[in-house]
Amino acid sequence: MKNFTHILLMGVILTMCACSSVHSLRLDTIRPAKVEYHTSSPYTTVVNNCTIPDGSNYSRYIDENGKRYRLSYNADSIPEFFAMSVASRLYERNFFESVEVYLPDSSLISGTDGVTQQMQQEWDMYYPDMVHILINEIKPKAIMQIEILDGIFGAALSLATSAQVQCCIPGESPTQIIVSDTLAWYAYGDTPEMARMDLPMFDICLEEALSHLSKRVADNLTPHKRIVERYIFVTGHVAMNDAYKYWQNKQYTDASYIWEYVLKNANNAGRKAKAAANLAVYYEIEDDYATAHKYAQQAHALAIEARDVYVTEYLNAYCRDLEERIEEKITLDRVLL
């Protein structure tokens, strides 16, 4: 199970009928970066190539009457803060040999035009082994809205952020990366003023939003963990109940033998679909994604036959994710081994 750090059974989350249930399973999976580097553990520099964003131009305050006002705030420190935050995230991943930050003079910043020919020539000459990560644009959009809720006032602050990034690997064309994210905060009070006062300070919210966005950038640039949710199905059939008891006791192989028996011998298409779905999870935690995908596809076909809409939708998404994992495993094996 080299690509999983833990398995956590969350308990029954959905009762399908009087004798059937679904148990949620959260898996920590390892996913590859969106780029492949010229060497393992490369030297890296994060470059602030971003002009100061005019967030006030598209941020708004909406009062309790629906009237809209421009929401102004100081954005001068955003580019430097975000560059430092991205560099910190990358450093924490322990993937790069070193992580540096370059904060050029404003006259050298090209913004959304990205890396210039002059930049590339200088890097090729002076830093032939260095990966340069350019932050070309940051766009934070804030919306603060007041609403009346059962006689009290609610204040909602949402910060939608996006960033345009280029990853420049020696000898290759720059890779374009666009990430976006949204965070929200809520507060309540007897008056609009009291509700607003109960929100965290705007600068703190902005820093939190930018820090969260920087994690998304780092996820694109390094192998990283992603939590996925899977389901273990239990029906009223005695064999399915016995299999789940083995599963709870971490006797996963014993549980799989029973699910194989049910899949082979049961007459009910819905029960067979759930046994096959459980087998897919078993093989996934064993890192055998091809076999997991085979069982997930079989389960999907059986769920369609049984006309089980919810199970069919889950298995459709599960098959797509397993297909992605099969493709990613090739990259992970090449990068991590």
Side-chain angles (χ1 to χ4, degrees):
M1 305 181 191
K2 62 182 178 183
N3 290 337
F4 292 89
T5 57
H6 72 271
I7 300 171
L8 175 63
L9 289 175
M10 300 296 291
V12 178
I13 64 165
L14 177 64
T15 301
M16 305 295 288
C17 64
C19 299
S20 300
S21 61
V22 183
H23 298 256
S24 177
L25 183 71
R26 302 185 71 202
L27 306 178
D28 275 351
T29 68
I30 304 297
R31 317 309 281 249
K34 298 299 183 183
V35 296
E36 290 191 47
Y37 298 98
H38 62 298
T39 182
S40 60
S41 301
Y43 295 90
T44 305
T45 295
V46 177
V47 182
N48 172 34
N49 190 46
C50 175
T51 58
I52 296 173
D54 185 10
S56 301
N57 190 43
Y58 38 79
S59 295
R60 295 291 181 267
Y61 171 73
I62 307 171
D63 70 12
E64 62 275 17
N65 298 311
K67 190 172 181 179
R68 303 170 71 90
Y69 304 85
R70 179 173 293 189
L71 181 61
S72 299
Y73 58 91
N74 188 345
D76 291 356
S77 63
I78 286 178
E80 182 175 342
F81 176 87
F82 189 67
M84 297 297 295
S85 183
V86 170
S88 296
R89 294 285 190 181
L90 295 177
Y91 177 79
E92 291 168 356
R93 301 295 173 90
N94 294 316
F95 180 79
F96 299 102
E97 181 68 26
S98 68
V99 179
E100 301 178 2
V101 180
Y102 176 44
L103 306 174
D105 184 85
S106 59
S107 62
L108 300 175
I109 290 176
S110 59
T112 54
D113 290 338
V115 61
T116 65
Q117 185 177 3
Q118 180 182 355
M119 285 182 183
Q120 286 183 313
Q121 290 174 347
E122 290 181 357
W123 292 342
D124 289 343
M125 181 180 299
Y126 297 109
Y127 312 101
D129 297 320
M130 179 76 72
V131 173
H132 289 83
I133 297 166
L134 281 78
I135 301 169
N136 295 329
E137 183 185 46
I138 308 165
K139 189 174 182 180
K141 178 181 179 181
I143 300 293
M144 183 183 294
Q145 185 167 4
I146 302 297
E147 296 181 344
I148 303 175
L149 306 167
D150 296 329
I152 64 171
F153 292 90
L157 172 62
S158 67
L159 271 166
T161 54
S162 62
Q164 293 185 25
V165 177
Q166 279 182 313
C167 181
C168 300
I169 299 170
E172 300 181 17
S173 299
T175 300
Q176 305 286 342
I177 297 171
I178 298 176
V179 295
S180 60
D181 192 38
T182 301
L183 293 184
W185 298 262
Y186 302 92
Y188 304 92
D190 292 331
T191 66
E193 293 76 14
M194 292 176 67
R196 289 199 308 269
M197 290 293 291
D198 206 36
L199 285 169
M201 292 180 61
F202 183 84
D203 288 349
I204 294 176
C205 294
L206 182 59
E207 289 186 2
E208 184 178 348
L210 292 172
S211 179
H212 204 262
L213 183 68
S214 70
K215 179 183 179 300
R216 291 188 177 272
V217 173
D219 285 348
N220 279 267
L221 296 170
T222 63
H224 57 281
K225 292 180 182 179
R226 183 192 301 170
I227 296 176
V228 296
E229 189 170 35
R230 305 291 187 240
Y231 297 130
I232 296 296
F233 295 93
V234 183
T235 70
H237 192 275
V238 63
M240 294 291 282
N241 279 307
D242 288 344
Y244 184 62
K245 290 176 183 177
Y246 282 121
W247 188 268
Q248 284 183 304
N249 291 327
K250 299 184 179 180
Q251 296 173 271
Y252 305 127
T253 302
D254 292 328
S256 74
Y257 292 153
I258 298 178
W259 290 326
E260 287 174 354
Y261 174 84
V262 173
L263 177 60
K264 182 178 180 180
N265 295 284
N267 296 319
N268 182 283
R271 185 179 302 137
K272 290 164 71 77
K274 292 170 183 176
N278 293 348
L279 282 167
V281 175
Y282 167 73
Y283 281 102
E284 185 181 11
I285 67 172
E286 292 294 321
D287 295 339
D288 186 348
Y289 307 137
T291 303
H293 185 247
K294 181 192 74 174
Y295 279 113
Q297 286 183 310
Q298 187 175 1
H300 182 254
L302 287 165
I304 292 175
E305 181 184 339
R307 298 183 180 180
D308 193 326
V309 175
Y310 297 107
V311 175
T312 300
E313 289 178 351
Y314 159 71
L315 289 167
N316 186 45
Y318 189 16
C319 286
R320 291 199 304 269
D321 195 42
L322 285 172
E323 289 164 7
E324 184 178 336
R325 297 210 68 194
I326 290 170
E327 293 180 1
E328 291 175 342
K329 187 177 186 299
I330 299 172
T331 301
L332 281 171
D333 288 345
R334 184 166 56 247
V335 171
L336 298 180
L337 293 182

